[in-house]
Amino acid sequence: MERKLRLGVIGCGRIAQAHFAVIENLKEKVDLIAVADADEKRAREAKERFGAKTFTSQFEEVLHHSGIEAVIIALPNHLHHPVALQAAMAKKHILVEKPMAINTKEAKEMVEMAKRNGVTLMVGQSRRFSDAVFELQRRLPEIGELFRIQISFLVHFPTPPTGWWKRSEEAGGLIILLQGSHSIDSILTWIKKMPRQVLTFSSRQNTQWEGEDEADILLSFDQGELASVHLSLNTSPAVHEALLVGTKGVMRLTEYATEKPFGFGYHLDLNGKRIVSGEQVPSNYTLQLREFIEALRGRRKPVASGEEVLKTMRVLDAAKQSEREKRIVYIQNQ
């Protein structure tokens, strides 16, 4: 029988609930050793609900626990970088929630520290992990050369679901990193190259948070390809879809929420014909954690490795710079 991955979870808030549910689903592969949260009551409740061996209000105790070999970091955006650095120095493999970091500089330091200490760093780009997206990627050649991608990620949060969303410094703004990290990552995965130019427009409709809650990000590429990302926290009913246009046809991917927490279903249409439809089972987060485990056991680089997601961070940096300076930002080849 394969040895279980001995895991710790740092952060027991909103997004951690998705990870805890997956750990329960993968009990044959994962042993939840410890959970940590600055709110000791929340850490205790997570231990009792999800069967961790221990809990703590000090995340350092998880990093120094000799029985733990990997951690999931499910903290506010601004804490991804410092905690990941300490995790790497403690020789723990890392699955960190998206966005990888507040900016590319931090993300590079995370990659370098993981490499220096011989540990795996994976980023929770969970939208990569669905049967519909796998099928989309497999069928991409059928629509020819991509020349346009349009993503609308328009959802509704009338109030902040967690406290740190309110504070721009902790969120890194808000929606550009929060949802843009998924959408930009998808575009780069499908088109397989970096844009040359980035232009961002943003606004705020809801004064309950400091950062932007509406944004449009426009990308142009070296052969005239165009991509656009439309983001909203104020759209009800929600619309989340991607349109991919190629020289031979069109694919449309639609995501919808199910009744399960952090559960999603998908429709995938190829040239007007539906080829995938239904709830994603097992969940995106289950497939994501399974990939993390299999990469560790196979001693290989995981999908959405820290090194790979640096490209996503570079484009997000450019999008934020464009928003801040109100101009087109040019990305230089590296």
Side-chain angles (χ1 to χ4, degrees):
M1 183 177 175
E2 186 180 55
R3 182 171 60 81
K4 293 183 179 182
L5 179 70
R6 301 185 305 278
L7 189 64
V9 176
I10 299 174
C12 299
R14 174 179 175 268
I15 196 62
Q17 305 311 303
H19 295 286
F20 285 135
V22 169
I23 291 167
E24 282 196 310
N25 292 342
L26 295 178
K27 282 182 178 177
E28 76 285 357
K29 294 180 177 291
V30 180
D31 193 3
L32 182 58
I33 305 297
V35 296
D37 196 282
D39 182 336
E40 186 172 333
K41 180 175 180 288
R42 189 158 62 181
R44 182 187 298 108
E45 290 172 349
K47 171 195 177 295
E48 293 171 354
R49 181 178 175 189
F50 299 104
K53 302 287 191 297
T54 187
F55 73 94
T56 177
S57 61
Q58 304 295 320
F59 75 88
E60 294 89 351
E61 292 183 17
V62 175
L63 300 183
H64 297 142
H65 194 300
S66 61
I68 291 174
E69 56 186 313
V71 294
I72 294 175
I73 299 174
L75 294 168
N77 295 350
H78 72 300
L79 296 177
H80 293 181
H81 167 256
V83 176
L85 293 185
Q86 292 184 59
M89 288 188 285
K91 309 291 185 183
K92 308 299 185 190
H93 301 293
I94 302 159
L95 172 56
V96 62
E97 257 300 331
K98 63 79 200 166
M100 182 177 174
I102 292 292
N103 55 51
T104 304
K105 178 180 180 294
E106 290 186 354
K108 283 181 177 178
E109 290 174 358
M110 292 161 65
V111 168
E112 291 165 1
M113 189 64 75
K115 191 176 298 184
R116 190 178 310 151
N117 287 278
V119 299
T120 293
L121 172 62
M122 179 177 171
V123 183
Q125 298 290 165
S126 58
R127 257 64 181 201
R128 292 200 194 190
F129 296 95
S130 72
D131 295 332
V133 169
F134 296 151
E135 185 68 4
L136 179 155
Q137 292 174 181
R138 190 177 74 82
R139 304 288 287 269
L140 269 176
E142 296 181 36
I143 63 169
E145 296 295 321
L146 281 175
F147 62 85
R148 174 178 290 278
I149 301 175
Q150 178 177 310
I151 295 180
S152 295
F153 196 165
L154 315 174
V155 297
H156 188 227
F157 283 93
T159 59
T162 186
W164 61 266
W165 277 35
K166 300 177 184 179
R167 298 177 284 277
S168 184
E169 185 177 355
E170 295 181 20
L174 189 56
I175 202 172
I176 291 173
L177 287 184
L178 189 70
Q179 290 174 205
S181 54
H182 281 308
S183 301
I184 295 297
D185 189 73
S186 294
I187 289 170
L188 299 186
T189 301
W190 298 336
I191 208 165
K192 298 181 176 63
K193 58 182 175 180
M194 291 286 285
R196 293 287 182 84
Q197 300 175 84
V198 180
L199 178 61
T200 303
F201 301 95
S202 73
S203 66
R204 184 182 62 163
Q205 300 296 317
N206 189 335
T207 58
Q208 293 184 69
W209 38 59
E210 297 172 350
E212 78 289 346
D213 57 16
E214 298 285 326
D216 286 351
I217 305 170
L218 309 179
L219 312 176
S220 69
F221 295 80
D222 59 344
Q223 298 298 314
E225 307 97 329
L226 300 175
S228 60
V229 175
H230 311 281
L231 306 172
S232 173
L233 293 178
N234 308 292
T235 301
S236 182
V239 177
H240 190 187
E241 65 176 18
L243 188 69
L244 294 83
V245 184
T247 53
K248 296 180 181 178
V250 175
M251 275 201 282
R252 182 188 296 272
L253 175 72
T254 305
E255 178 188 279
Y256 59 90
T258 67
E259 294 181 357
K260 298 176 182 176
F262 300 98
F264 301 103
Y266 294 89
H267 303 306
L268 178 63
D269 299 330
L270 173 59
N271 292 329
K273 180 182 178 182
R274 186 143 294 176
I275 58 175
V276 175
S277 185
E279 182 180 356
Q280 175 57 47
V281 179
S283 71
N284 308 59
Y285 289 89
T286 301
L287 297 180
Q288 177 178 266
L289 183 57
R290 187 178 291 166
E291 166 64 13
F292 183 57
I293 294 167
E294 291 176 357
L296 294 181
R297 295 297 179 240
R299 299 182 183 278
R300 63 170 173 81
K301 189 174 292 186
V303 172
S305 68
E307 190 170 11
E308 181 186 357
V309 178
L310 282 177
K311 295 177 182 177
T312 300
M313 289 305 310
R314 285 186 64 205
V315 178
L316 289 169
D317 265 8
K320 293 290 292 179
Q321 182 181 355
S322 174
E323 177 202 35
R324 187 171 59 250
E325 299 179 2
K326 303 186 185 314
R327 66 177 181 89
I328 295 172
V329 172
Y330 295 84
I331 296 181
Q332 302 299 320
N333 291 328
Q334 288 188 355

